[in-house]
Amino acid sequence: MSKTKQGLINFAKSKIGTPYVYGAKGAVMSLNQIRQLRNMYGTSCVWNSDDSKAGKVCVDCSGLISWYTGIIRGSQNYYDTAIQRLSISQRNNSHIGWAVWMKGHIGIYLGNNQYIAADGSAYGVRIANLSQNRFTHLLKLCDIDYTDTPKTFDSDGELRTGGTFQSKTDHLGHVSYQAHMRGIGWGNWQSDGDMIGSINQNRRIEAIKIQPRSKTDVTIHIKSDGDKTYKNITKDTIIGTTNQKKRIEAIKIDSSETIYRYRVHQKRIGWSSWKTNGEWAGEKGKALQIEAIEIRIVKFFVNAHMQTEGWLGWKPDGEIAGLTGKKLRLEALKIDPLQEEITVQAHIQSQGWIDYGKINKNTVIGTIGEAKRLECIRLKGNFEYRVHIQGSGWTNWTKADGKATLGTVEQKLRIEAIQFSSL
């Protein structure tokens, strides 16, 4: 049998947070399907509030186990087909991976008086103490191999509990990506700067998939294999290896049509700085696994001209342009809109409002060499932005709708920095 007790436990833990719907077996449920189950089983089993779970992957208690084994059984059938049944009072840590059972409900015993289960509509898949339920039996399940196998050594060390794990819901966006992780397999799709992988779980990323915006090449450094380049990737390209226990140690992304920004969280190093097309994220030659990755697409660049400092250099959207905590005025901006269309109006010390219209990368918004502060700004484009104002700090994020203004007028207060967030 290929389905083991440890595999069952690992699988169940990977589904923590999955919503519960009575009769669901680990598939995306439509509103119609949920209502059909309610008509079949009644509102005591399928709550009216379960309608809010439409469009999500859902599961019930027996479905969590069946999801792993691929063999559909109800909780009563698990009891009837069990290889061995014991009273729950006989439990000890040798029964880890057995089922805990009561009439109408089933979970998986984790040891130390804890279990994991799809624990009803109020909780979904969770870990809880046995005292929170009334289980009567332990079941040695017929679909699970309970043979104890010798513990194998993993060159990346033991997995750790706790830490931070990526979202367990798919989030698709401008650029979407997915990780194959040690002990988990493929995680949910994430996008636009969201994290894939984990932090402080000692869990390596072994492969990734990326849904590119245009022709994109990806190069990774793989344990024992070295550098490997994947040309013109698609969303189905497996970048790395699976089931070979090989860690990814570094990555670089290249495209002539799309500008990518990406960073990695590497064992014992932490987060790298943000990298841009053609730059390596992660340190090669140190035998250290990448554990998390974030990727986003650059929509435009910004350059800030500061009092006494001059031009600070081009920064991609998302990063702060300007300086905070230095008591220096922002005197001018340049924005390279790339493929975006951005219009700008700015209120400048002693000059008032100036309409710059549709700008390009050479448009100077403000003044240079005149010791005048930018005081207020109005932008239009497909993004949100905020400004840091003398004495009051950051404003709220505001949609660039061409109407809202950020800053002050006739208060003699300088803008010190600006930050953008693409929509």
Side-chain angles (χ1 to χ4, degrees), residues 9 30 33 139 142 186 193 198 204 241 338 350 372 394 413:
I9 291 169
S30 68
Q33 288 172 317
L139 306 181
C142 67
W186 289 106
S198 62
R204 64 177 168 263
T241 62
L338 300 177
S350 77
K372 294 180 178 179
W394 288 107
L413 297 175

Side-chain angles (χ1 to χ4, degrees), residues 13-293:
K13 286 182 176 180
S14 76
K15 303 305 177 185
I16 289 174
T18 301
Y20 176 101
V21 171
Y22 187 89
K25 303 301 177 186
V28 175
M29 299 296 292
S30 68
L31 182 59
N32 186 53
Q33 288 172 317
I34 293 172
R35 289 176 175 174
Q36 286 178 350
L37 289 172
R38 184 178 300 119
N39 290 335
M40 188 182 306
Y41 298 114
T43 56
S44 62
C45 292
V46 184
W47 295 1
N48 290 323
S49 61
D50 287 340
D51 286 355
S52 66
K53 300 167 186 174
K56 298 178 181 178
V57 174
C58 300
V59 71
D60 67 5
C61 62
S62 60
L64 180 61
I65 300 172
S66 297
W67 196 359
Y68 172 66
T69 65
I71 301 169
I72 302 298
R73 301 184 191 277
S75 60
Q76 184 61 46
N77 190 238
Y78 278 118
Y79 180 88
D80 294 339
T81 59
I83 298 170
Q84 188 176 354
R85 305 183 195 104
L86 296 174
S87 168
I88 194 70
S89 63
Q90 295 178 261
R91 68 189 179 276
N92 57 54
N93 282 353
S94 70
H95 299 117
I96 290 172
W98 288 39
V100 286
W101 183 91
M102 57 187 273
K103 188 171 181 59
H105 193 37
I106 193 168
I108 304 156
Y109 189 52
L110 300 178
N112 299 319
N113 293 318
Q114 286 192 316
Y115 71 96
I116 185 169
D119 228 5
S121 287
Y123 302 109
V125 179
R126 66 167 183 169
I127 293 174
N129 294 320
L130 287 178
S131 60
Q132 294 176 258
N133 235 310
R134 297 179 179 179
F135 294 110
T136 58
H137 288 81
L138 292 161
L139 306 181
K140 191 173 186 179
L141 300 174
C142 67
D143 301 323
I144 300 297
D145 184 355
Y146 288 95
T147 304
D148 287 322
T149 55
K151 200 169 187 179
T152 57
F153 172 76
D154 192 295
S155 61
D156 290 318
E158 295 294 318
L159 291 173
R160 293 193 294 267
T161 58
T164 303
F165 192 78
Q166 68 164 76
S167 171
K168 295 180 181 177
T169 303
D170 286 334
H171 298 280
L172 302 179
H174 297 294
V175 58
S176 304
Y177 39 96
Q178 182 184 32
H180 189 281
M181 295 164 277
R182 172 187 173 186
I184 298 291
W186 289 106
N188 291 87
W189 287 94
Q190 304 301 314
S191 64
D192 301 336
D194 293 333
M195 184 186 83
I196 55 172
S198 62
I199 297 175
N200 295 328
Q201 294 186 359
N202 197 36
R203 190 182 302 281
R204 64 177 168 263
I205 290 180
E206 300 171 335
I208 61 172
K209 293 179 182 178
I210 301 173
Q211 295 186 17
R213 286 290 299 275
S214 58
K215 184 177 179 181
T216 300
D217 301 334
V218 180
T219 304
I220 58 173
H221 188 83
I222 309 170
K223 172 191 174 182
S224 75
D225 292 349
D227 293 351
K228 184 173 181 179
T229 299
Y230 299 79
K231 294 281 190 180
N232 197 17
I233 62 166
T234 71
K235 65 181 180 63
D236 298 315
T237 304
I238 297 176
I239 303 165
T241 62
T242 60
N243 303 317
Q244 296 184 41
K245 297 184 177 181
K246 292 183 178 180
R247 61 184 171 261
I248 296 177
E249 299 177 356
I251 181 173
K252 67 175 177 178
I253 305 175
D254 258 322
S255 175
S256 60
E257 302 170 39
T258 302
I259 300 175
Y260 292 96
R261 291 281 280 177
Y262 48 96
R263 64 174 185 165
V264 302
H265 192 279
Q266 196 165 16
K267 182 176 181 178
R268 293 205 294 271
I269 293 176
W271 284 109
S272 69
S273 59
W274 285 97
K275 305 297 181 181
T276 307
N277 290 18
E279 297 179 331
W280 282 104
E283 297 191 21
K284 297 192 288 183
K286 294 190 175 182
L288 297 176
Q289 65 198 13
I290 287 176
E291 299 174 340
I293 301 174

Side-chain angles (χ1 to χ4, degrees), residues 369-382:
E370 297 183 34
K372 294 180 178 179
R373 59 185 171 263
L374 275 177
E375 298 179 330
C376 194
I377 194 163
R378 179 187 291 123
L379 302 174
K380 186 175 183 180
N382 190 30

